[in-house]
């Protein structure tokens, strides 16, 4: 009877260790590998950086358009001023009528009364 009891306890011990091993194996199997988590983080960071790059490209494009308009305004004013000064130096009469203002320069000339 004693040996039967020891055999039963040993079998119970083996069954317990097997159950614990099965649980540990299941937990480890469901875990995401460390490399996979890093790849997921890289994907998220890359997507965020792509959005930031698109936003910056839009800002750059808007800045280039604004700078082109300001350049046209400066060129217009410089040319007009030179022709006006030349005319006034050549004669003491009224300055000539201004040439038409380019469309790209109009938004940048609003604060000088042109």
């Amino acid at each position: 009877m004693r040996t039967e009891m020891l055999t039963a306890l040993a079998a119970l011990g083996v069954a317990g260790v097997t159950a614990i091993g099965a649980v540990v194996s299941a937990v480890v199997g469901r875990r995401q590998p460390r490399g996979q988590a890093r790849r997921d983080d890289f994907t998220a960071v890359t997507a965020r950086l792509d959005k930031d790059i698109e936003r910056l490209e839009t800002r750059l494009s808007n800045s280039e358009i604004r700078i082109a308009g300001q350049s046209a305004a400066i060129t217009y004013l410089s040319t007009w001023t030179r022709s006006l000064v030349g005319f006034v130096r050549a004669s003491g009469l009224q300055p000539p009528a201004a040439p038409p203002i380019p469309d790209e320069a109009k938004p940048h000339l609003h604060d000088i009364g042109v």
Side-chain angles (χ1 to χ4, degrees):
M1 179 120 166
R2 215 174 186 153
T3 57
E4 292 171 1
M5 189 182 275
L6 286 176
T7 305
L9 286 175
L12 186 61
V14 169
V17 169
T18 303
I20 291 172
V23 169
V24 168
S25 177
V27 168
V28 169
R30 292 196 58 162
R31 238 181 49 184
Q32 204 174 34
R34 183 177 293 172
Q36 179 65 37
R38 287 188 183 138
R39 280 192 293 275
D40 291 345
D41 290 344
F42 178 76
T43 304
V45 168
T46 303
R48 182 169 162 231
L49 289 176
D50 286 343
K51 287 180 184 177
D52 288 343
I53 289 171
E54 288 177 19
R55 181 181 53 83
L56 290 173
E57 286 174 347
T58 302
R59 284 181 58 191
L60 179 62
S61 176
N62 292 341
S63 295
E64 288 173 348
I65 291 169
R66 189 175 68 240
I67 289 171
Q70 291 169 345
S71 175
I74 290 171
T75 302
Y76 167 78
L77 292 173
S78 175
T79 304
W80 172 240
T81 303
R82 284 188 188 134
S83 67
L84 185 61
V85 168
F87 179 82
V88 170
R89 285 185 181 164
S91 66
L93 301 174
Q94 289 284 358
I101 299 172
D103 291 335
E104 337 44 332
K106 287 180 182 178
H108 304 286
L109 298 175
H110 62 82
D111 57 340
I112 60 171
V114 175

